[in-house]
Amino acid sequence: MRKIVLATKNTGKIAEFERLLSQFTPDIKVLGLSDFPDMPEVVEIGKTLNENARLKAKAICEFTKLPALADDSGLFIDALGGQPGVYSARWAGYEGVDSKMRDLANINKALEELKDVPKGSRGAQFRSVVAFCRQNLDSSFLEKEELGVLSGQILTQPIGSAGFGYDPIFSPDQFDQSLAQLPPRVKDEVSHRGIALRAIAPFLRDHL
């Protein structure tokens, strides 16, 4: 079975990628960074989602000697001038390792920043760049990236227990539920990450 390393230890994200990839490439086993405990942490120094995604994919590919897939996603809130954007994962400044605590801190910060913004002015977009990297026999690298965008609104309070990140406070356009309320298959169909993955899946099928 072909293997690909996903640039995350987040079990929710690994499960999401596995569901999405299985629709196009059922013979691919998705590994996470937990399978490579000696892998040094990749510092995300990029100023854009594209830069961070490519940086992570190449670093993991070089270390594991396997094809790697990385994504960098961000929530861009209109009323906040596009914040938190590329800094979405660490916006609230949480420095611990508990992803649920980090997510809660970020959600609370978003709600506080928007407490005086009325419902009709709470537009936002989730954006995800998915980057692939594979080392060729001549030591060069094959790289590819795709962008996915999901538009919606920021809710006034968290709703739903599924998903991760800002999912409980983001309601996609055409839905009256948050991403955290949607069944996994529905979320896969509409999510920014799903859009980007479906765009890159044919390339993965042909180049792994």
Side-chain angles (χ1 to χ4, degrees):
M1 177 175 281
R2 296 181 291 174
K3 296 179 180 179
I4 190 168
V5 183
L6 186 61
T8 186
K9 294 179 181 178
N10 186 312
T11 55
K13 189 176 287 188
I14 291 171
E16 186 175 20
F17 269 88
E18 284 182 328
R19 288 196 308 270
L20 288 161
L21 283 175
S22 67
Q23 300 175 35
F24 302 93
T25 49
D27 64 329
I28 294 176
K29 180 174 178 56
V30 179
L31 303 174
L33 292 183
S34 297
D35 294 296
F36 302 90
D38 297 330
M39 169 80 197
E41 183 175 356
V42 181
V43 181
E44 298 180 22
I45 58 175
K47 297 187 182 301
T48 66
L49 300 179
N50 303 64
E51 290 177 4
N52 280 333
R54 292 172 72 97
L55 183 72
K56 289 186 285 187
K58 189 169 185 179
I60 292 164
C61 176
E62 289 181 311
F63 182 84
T64 65
K65 307 304 179 186
L66 290 170
L69 193 66
D71 87 289
D72 201 38
S73 302
L75 177 64
F76 295 75
I77 302 173
D78 298 341
L80 302 181
Q83 291 189 76
V86 70
Y87 304 108
S88 295
R90 50 194 181 277
W91 193 30
Y94 177 73
E95 297 181 356
V97 297
D98 188 321
S99 61
K100 290 184 178 180
M101 291 295 294
R102 182 197 64 206
D103 291 348
L104 182 59
N106 287 332
I107 285 173
N108 288 338
K109 181 175 176 63
L111 294 179
E112 176 64 22
E113 293 280 346
L114 294 172
K115 65 181 181 181
D116 297 323
V117 179
K119 287 187 177 182
S121 302
R122 300 168 72 94
Q125 303 82 43
F126 264 129
R127 301 176 191 171
S128 177
V129 173
V130 174
F132 169 77
C133 184
R134 186 200 73 191
Q135 190 163 16
N136 298 316
L137 294 176
D138 62 1
S139 296
S140 64
F141 289 91
L142 175 66
E143 296 180 272
K144 174 74 172 176
E145 65 184 59
E146 293 287 351
L147 169 68
V149 179
L150 175 64
S151 297
Q153 298 285 322
I154 302 298
L155 302 174
T156 57
Q157 63 182 9
I159 304 175
S161 58
F164 53 90
Y166 296 89
D167 286 357
I169 60 169
F170 186 90
S171 178
D173 288 347
Q174 314 305 321
F175 285 83
D176 58 3
Q177 297 172 294
S178 75
L179 281 177
Q181 291 177 288
L182 298 180
R185 289 291 181 185
V186 176
K187 181 187 174 185
D188 292 348
E189 286 297 317
V190 302
S191 78
H192 50 302
R193 193 172 292 109
I195 292 168
L197 259 182
R198 282 192 294 276
I200 205 171
F203 186 88
L204 297 183
R205 180 186 59 224
D206 296 337
H207 293 89
L208 279 179

